[in-house]
Amino acid sequence: MFFGRKADRVACWLWFILTLAGLVEVETDLAAVQALQHDLNNRIYDVELDPKTVGRGGNRAGKSKDAAASLAPQGQPNNVDLSVGVDEAEEGLEKLQMQSKSLKISRWKLYMDLVFTSYLVFQIRRFEAPALAFSGLASAALSCFKQYGKHYAILAKFEIMDQPPNPLATRDERFTYLRKLMGDKGSDGWDTAWQEGVTPWDQGHIQPPLRDFFESNDGKALLQKKSENARVLVPGCGKGYDAAYFASLGYESLGADLSSTAVEKAKEFWAESPELKSGKLSFQTLDFFKFEVPAAKYDLVYDYTFFCALPPELRAPWGARMREIVRPGGTLITLVFPIDGPRAGGPPFSVDVQNVTDALQGSEEESADAGKYWTKVLDIVPQNTEHVGRERLAVWERL
């Protein structure tokens, strides 16, 4: 009996000491994981939201090795590779968040074990029965919860859990769903698409042909002659990558979209941009065909995937509106896409430069007078693009 009680005391002390040691270890690991989370989150934020990075072609899917290496903090948790690009780094951040959650559960379980063993080791009699019952049950529940979370994550990873099929798995399926939204809701479908994340046109970066133009002699000449307060309008701006690029070039840039959700996402995405804070970059929800045009009009308008989103019957009104909003001597840059030939259906509707020309110059009967409203100063086929053969960059000067 004596040796039995002695062994029981020794076991309780060992349990108590191991619990304390485990608690110290968990607290240390948790602090390290949270520090890595903070560091990695800041690095992703700096690389992804820096307007200069985006302006220089900061493609999330194509970071340079140097930029990718900059995302890797000193030291890594087990099984988390952080020396990768932004997308992979975000996956690493998600793993860190799961690890942090697991460690927090372990910490609370150890706290309950500490309460339980303290009562046994120090033979505390006050509230002994309820304290032992509560701490024991809580420790068991936390242990079960931790194991459930661990196994659920494993099952989800290998798609063993019942999951509804994804009806929008491919880009074509997303466009099909988008067209259904347009058919069901009309122009309101754009906001629904942004709310549901059905935005297959959002590539996460500025369009390379636009950047290449401004790095060419023609683009540099345009920048040299712009006034200090030159204003740019980007209709259908979406998340605002191109609008932010214009602001980084020194323009007062307005990104406009019919979808209030898109505008809010753009404001959130560029919240830390110096241009947004200074007022050089702004975003507004407005109807391109109805908003009040400033008296001074715009020095430059940029159209990419806006013209092709309009039904063909709105092309002539688009051209008339461009004549209203671009000042004489101003510039219209059109990145014409998608040039798919005689393809029916949309959006996006198949377009070509002649469609744009006809819309800008007036009705088809009037378009024979090619110099009536605009002079086309550049028409090139971009090579540095994801849509080789389906895009043309045309630059127009307002007469």
Side-chain angles (χ1 to χ4, degrees):
M1 182 68 70
F2 172 77
F3 289 107
R5 288 197 299 269
K6 203 72 170 174
D8 184 59
R9 292 282 295 167
V10 170
C12 289
W13 271 103
L14 285 174
W15 187 6
F16 178 76
I17 293 170
L18 290 174
T19 300
L20 281 176
L23 193 55
V24 171
E25 182 180 6
V26 166
E27 291 287 1
T28 303
D29 289 346
L30 184 59
V33 168
Q34 289 175 336
L36 286 172
Q37 278 184 272
H38 179 74
D39 187 29
L40 181 55
N41 193 55
N42 285 342
R43 289 167 186 263
I44 293 173
Y45 180 85
D46 290 341
V47 172
E48 190 174 43
L49 300 192
D50 182 359
K52 294 182 179 179
T53 301
V54 174
R56 298 290 300 177
N59 186 343
R60 290 163 57 93
K63 297 292 182 186
S64 69
K65 291 183 179 179
D66 290 340
S70 72
L71 292 171
Q74 299 298 318
Q76 300 177 15
N78 293 335
N79 302 322
V80 181
D81 180 13
L82 300 178
S83 55
V84 289
V86 173
D87 287 338
E88 291 83 357
E90 288 181 342
E91 291 179 8
L93 183 60
E94 185 176 351
K95 291 179 182 178
L96 284 173
Q97 291 169 341
M98 293 177 62
Q99 190 172 350
S100 176
K101 181 179 179 181
S102 177
L103 287 170
K104 288 177 180 178
I105 294 173
S106 296
R107 179 176 62 181
W108 279 108
K109 178 189 180 303
L110 288 169
Y111 279 147
M112 293 300 100
D113 288 345
L114 191 63
V115 171
F116 192 93
T117 55
S118 295
Y119 268 86
L120 297 179
V121 167
F122 300 108
Q123 298 182 348
I124 303 172
R125 301 302 176 211
R126 187 177 179 84
F127 305 119
E128 181 181 15
L132 290 175
F134 175 79
S135 59
L137 288 173
S139 177
L142 288 166
S143 182
C144 291
F145 185 73
K146 180 181 177 181
Q147 290 300 316
Y148 169 79
K150 179 180 178 180
H151 291 297
Y152 184 90
I154 293 173
L155 292 173
K157 179 180 178 181
F158 292 101
E159 299 181 348
I160 297 175
M161 301 293 291
D162 281 338
Q163 297 178 356
N166 181 5
L168 306 175
T170 68
R171 185 180 178 88
D172 287 343
E173 288 173 340
R174 291 194 291 273
F175 272 120
T176 299
Y177 180 66
L178 176 66
R179 289 161 189 156
K180 182 179 184 302
L181 286 178
M182 296 300 109
D184 293 343
K185 299 188 176 184
S187 59
D188 291 339
W190 293 110
D191 197 56
T192 302
W194 276 100
Q195 290 173 8
E196 297 183 5
V198 185
T199 55
W201 61 86
D202 186 351
Q203 296 175 299
H205 59 86
I206 181 184
Q207 295 308 303
L210 177 65
R211 183 190 67 245
D212 291 347
F213 167 72
F214 278 102
E215 292 180 352
S216 70
N217 291 333
D218 291 318
K220 291 176 181 177
L222 181 61
L223 288 175
Q224 286 177 355
K225 72 176 187 179
K226 79 176 183 65
S227 64
E228 182 179 351
N229 298 318
R231 296 194 295 182
V232 171
L233 174 67
V234 182
C237 68
K239 216 167 181 179
Y241 312 107
D242 298 323
Y245 177 64
F246 281 111
S248 74
L249 294 176
Y251 287 98
E252 292 184 2
S253 180
L254 171 61
D257 206 289
L258 188 64
S259 166
S260 59
T261 302
V263 168
E264 289 306 312
K265 286 182 179 293
K267 289 179 179 179
E268 180 182 353
F269 190 84
W270 296 102
E272 298 303 317
S273 162
E275 286 79 11
L276 189 69
K277 291 181 177 180
S278 68
K280 296 290 283 186
L281 173 63
S282 59
F283 297 98
Q284 287 184 23
T285 303
L286 55 81
D287 187 329
F288 173 77
F289 296 100
K290 297 178 181 179
F291 79 98
E292 184 176 351
V293 181
K297 301 189 177 183
Y298 288 93
D299 299 273
L300 190 152
V301 175
Y302 174 65
D303 185 299
Y304 175 67
T305 65
F306 183 67
F307 183 78
C308 71
L310 301 173
E313 60 268 22
L314 288 180
R315 291 175 183 174
W318 173 91
R321 191 60 165 163
M322 285 297 180
R323 297 194 292 271
E324 292 176 5
I325 65 179
V326 179
R327 67 167 178 80
T331 303
L332 169 64
I333 301 176
T334 56
L335 185 54
V336 183
F337 170 83
I339 303 175
D340 290 340
R343 170 178 62 77
F349 296 90
S350 179
V351 296
D352 57 35
V353 174
Q354 189 59 49
N355 297 144
V356 177
T357 302
D358 291 341
L360 288 175
Q361 302 297 3
S363 68
E364 293 184 2
E365 293 75 13
E366 297 173 328
S367 64
D369 184 3
K372 187 173 183 179
Y373 300 111
W374 304 85
T375 297
K376 185 164 62 175
V377 297
L378 185 69
D379 186 355
I380 60 174
V381 178
Q383 297 302 313
N384 180 22
T385 174
E386 299 172 22
H387 310 118
V388 175
R390 301 178 67 206
E391 282 183 343
R392 278 171 66 181
L393 180 75
V395 181
W396 313 76
E397 183 177 344
R398 180 76 166 91
L399 298 178

